[in-house]
Coordinates of all heavy atoms in Angstrom, one line a residue:
V1 N 133.5 136.5 50.2 CA 133.0 137.8 50.6 C 133.1 138.7 49.4 O 134.1 138.7 48.7 CB 134.1 138.3 51.7 CG1 133.9 139.6 52.1 CG2 134.0 137.3 53.0
A2 N 132.2 139.6 49.3 CA 132.2 140.6 48.3 C 132.7 141.9 48.9 O 132.3 142.3 49.9 CB 130.9 140.9 47.8
I3 N 133.8 142.5 48.2 CA 134.3 143.8 48.7 C 134.3 144.8 47.7 O 134.8 144.6 46.5 CB 135.8 143.6 49.2 CG1 135.9 142.5 50.3 CG2 136.4 144.9 49.7 CD1 137.2 142.2 50.8
H4 N 133.7 146.0 48.0 CA 133.7 147.1 47.1 C 134.6 148.2 47.6 O 134.5 148.5 48.8 CB 132.3 147.6 46.9 CG 132.2 148.9 46.0 ND1 132.3 148.8 44.7 CD2 132.2 150.2 46.3 CE1 132.3 150.1 44.2 NE2 132.2 150.9 45.2
H5 N 135.6 148.6 46.8 CA 136.5 149.6 47.3 C 136.0 151.0 46.6 O 136.0 151.1 45.4 CB 138.0 149.4 46.7 CG 138.5 148.1 47.3 ND1 139.0 148.0 48.6 CD2 138.6 146.8 46.8 CE1 139.4 146.8 48.9 NE2 139.1 146.0 47.8
F6 N 135.7 151.9 47.5 CA 135.3 153.3 47.1 C 136.6 154.1 46.8 O 137.7 153.8 47.2 CB 134.6 154.0 48.3 CG 133.3 153.3 48.6 CD1 133.2 152.3 49.6 CD2 132.2 153.6 47.8 CE1 132.0 151.8 49.8 CE2 130.9 153.1 48.0 CZ 130.8 152.1 49.1
P7 N 136.4 155.1 45.9 CA 137.6 156.0 45.5 C 138.4 156.5 46.7 O 139.6 156.8 46.6 CB 137.0 157.0 44.8 CG 135.7 156.5 44.3 CD 135.2 155.6 45.3
D8 N 137.7 156.7 47.8 CA 138.4 157.4 49.1 C 139.1 156.4 49.9 O 139.8 156.7 50.8 CB 137.4 158.2 49.9 CG 136.4 157.3 50.5 OD1 136.3 156.1 50.3 OD2 135.7 157.9 51.4
G9 N 139.1 155.1 49.3 CA 140.0 154.0 50.1 C 139.1 153.2 51.0 O 139.6 152.3 51.6
E10 N 137.8 153.6 51.2 CA 137.0 152.8 52.1 C 136.6 151.5 51.5 O 136.6 151.4 50.2 CB 135.7 153.6 52.5 CG 135.6 154.3 53.7 CD 134.2 154.8 54.0 OE1 134.0 155.9 53.4 OE2 133.5 154.2 54.8
S11 N 136.3 150.5 52.3 CA 135.9 149.2 51.8 C 134.5 148.9 52.3 O 134.2 149.1 53.5 CB 136.8 148.2 52.2 OG 138.1 148.3 51.8
K12 N 133.6 148.4 51.4 CA 132.3 147.9 51.8 C 132.4 146.4 51.7 O 132.6 145.8 50.6 CB 131.3 148.4 51.0 CG 129.9 147.9 51.4 CD 128.7 148.3 50.4 CE 127.5 147.7 50.7 NZ 126.4 148.0 49.8
V13 N 132.2 145.7 52.8 CA 132.3 144.2 52.9 C 130.9 143.6 53.0 O 130.1 144.1 53.9 CB 133.2 143.8 54.1 CG1 133.2 142.3 54.2 CG2 134.6 144.4 54.0
T14 N 130.7 142.8 52.1 CA 129.2 142.2 52.1 C 129.4 140.6 52.1 O 130.1 140.0 51.3 CB 128.5 142.5 50.8 OG1 128.5 144.0 50.7 CG2 127.0 142.0 50.8
L15 N 128.6 140.1 53.0 CA 128.5 138.5 53.1 C 127.2 138.1 52.6 O 126.2 138.9 52.7 CB 128.8 138.1 54.6 CG 130.1 138.3 55.1 CD1 130.1 138.3 56.7 CD2 131.1 137.3 54.6
P16 N 127.0 136.9 52.3 CA 125.7 136.4 52.0 C 124.7 136.5 53.1 O 125.1 136.6 54.3 CB 125.9 134.9 51.6 CG 127.3 134.8 51.3 CD 128.1 135.9 52.2
N17 N 123.4 136.6 52.7 CA 122.4 136.8 53.9 C 122.3 135.7 54.7 O 122.0 135.7 55.9 CB 121.0 137.1 53.2 CG 121.0 138.5 52.6 OD1 121.6 139.4 53.0 ND2 120.1 138.6 51.5
T18 N 122.5 134.4 54.2 CA 122.3 133.2 55.0 C 123.7 132.5 55.1 O 124.3 132.2 54.1 CB 121.3 132.2 54.4 OG1 121.7 132.0 53.1 CG2 119.9 132.8 54.5
L19 N 124.2 132.4 56.3 CA 125.4 131.6 56.6 C 125.2 130.6 57.7 O 124.2 130.8 58.5 CB 126.5 132.6 57.1 CG 127.1 133.6 56.1 CD1 128.0 134.5 56.9 CD2 127.8 132.8 55.0
D20 N 125.9 129.6 57.7 CA 125.7 128.7 58.8 C 126.1 129.3 60.2 O 126.8 130.3 60.1 CB 126.7 127.5 58.7 CG 126.3 126.5 57.4 OD1 125.1 126.8 56.9 OD2 127.1 125.7 57.0
A21 N 125.7 128.5 61.2 CA 126.0 129.1 62.5 C 127.5 129.2 62.8 O 128.0 130.0 63.6 CB 125.3 128.3 63.6
E22 N 128.3 128.2 62.2 CA 129.7 128.3 62.4 C 130.4 128.4 61.0 O 130.0 127.7 60.1 CB 130.1 126.9 63.1 CG 129.7 126.8 64.4 CD 130.2 125.5 65.1 OE1 130.8 124.7 64.4 OE2 129.8 125.3 66.3
I23 N 131.3 129.3 60.9 CA 132.0 129.4 59.6 C 133.5 129.6 59.9 O 134.0 129.9 61.1 CB 131.5 130.8 58.9 CG1 131.7 132.0 59.7 CG2 130.1 130.6 58.4 CD1 131.6 133.3 59.0
I24 N 134.3 129.4 58.9 CA 135.8 129.5 59.0 C 136.2 130.6 57.9 O 135.8 130.5 56.8 CB 136.4 128.2 58.6 CG1 136.1 127.1 59.5 CG2 138.0 128.4 58.6 CD1 136.6 125.7 59.2
F25 N 136.9 131.6 58.4 CA 137.5 132.6 57.4 C 138.7 132.2 57.0 O 139.5 131.6 57.7 CB 137.6 134.0 58.1 CG 136.2 134.7 58.3 CD1 135.5 134.8 59.4 CD2 135.6 135.3 57.1 CE1 134.4 135.4 59.4 CE2 134.5 136.1 57.2 CZ 133.8 136.0 58.4
C26 N 139.1 132.3 55.6 CA 140.3 132.0 55.1 C 140.9 133.2 54.3 O 140.2 133.6 53.2 CB 140.2 130.8 54.2 SG 141.6 130.2 53.4
R27 N 141.9 133.7 54.7 CA 142.6 134.8 54.0 C 144.0 134.9 54.2 O 144.5 134.7 55.5 CB 141.9 136.1 54.4 CG 142.4 137.3 53.6 CD 141.6 138.5 53.7 NE 141.7 139.3 52.6 CZ 141.3 140.5 52.4 NH1 140.7 141.1 53.5 NH2 141.5 141.3 51.3
S28 N 144.8 135.2 53.2 CA 146.2 135.5 53.4 C 146.4 136.9 54.1 O 145.5 137.8 53.8 CB 146.9 135.5 52.0 OG 148.2 136.1 52.2
L29 N 147.4 137.0 54.9 CA 147.6 138.3 55.6 C 148.9 139.0 55.2 O 149.4 139.7 56.1 CB 147.4 138.2 57.1 CG 145.9 137.9 57.6 CD1 145.9 137.8 59.0 CD2 145.0 139.0 57.1
D30 N 149.3 138.8 53.9 CA 150.5 139.5 53.5 C 149.9 140.9 53.4 O 148.7 141.1 53.0 CB 151.0 139.0 52.2 CG 150.0 138.9 51.0 OD1 148.9 138.5 51.3 OD2 150.3 139.4 49.9
H31 N 150.6 142.0 53.6 CA 150.1 143.4 53.5 C 148.9 143.5 54.5 O 147.9 143.8 54.1 CB 149.7 143.8 52.1 CG 150.8 143.7 51.0 ND1 152.0 144.4 51.1 CD2 151.0 142.7 50.0 CE1 152.7 144.0 50.1 NE2 152.2 143.0 49.4
P32 N 149.1 143.2 55.8 CA 147.9 143.0 56.7 C 147.2 144.2 57.0 O 146.0 144.1 57.4 CB 148.7 142.5 57.9 CG 150.0 143.0 57.9 CD 150.4 143.1 56.4
N33 N 147.7 145.4 56.8 CA 147.0 146.6 57.4 C 145.6 146.7 56.7 O 144.6 146.9 57.4 CB 147.7 147.9 57.0 CG 148.9 148.0 58.0 OD1 149.0 147.3 59.0 ND2 149.8 148.9 57.7

């Protein structure tokens, strides 16, 4: 996943244009907010 952080704290999350019908997300959730 590509994430761009703007100066005001907003995040823009970008995924590739083509993904399989089924995907698995993998991410640590320390500092989860």
Side-chain angles (χ1 to χ4, degrees):
V1 174
I3 300 176
H4 175 78
H5 297 280
F6 293 96
D8 66 355
E10 258 189 282
S11 298
K12 178 183 177 186
V13 176
T14 306
L15 293 166
N17 290 330
T18 56
L19 289 172
D20 290 350
E22 295 181 358
I23 60 173
I24 298 171
F25 282 103
C26 179
R27 186 169 205 191
S28 166
L29 290 178
D30 61 313
H31 307 289
N33 288 349

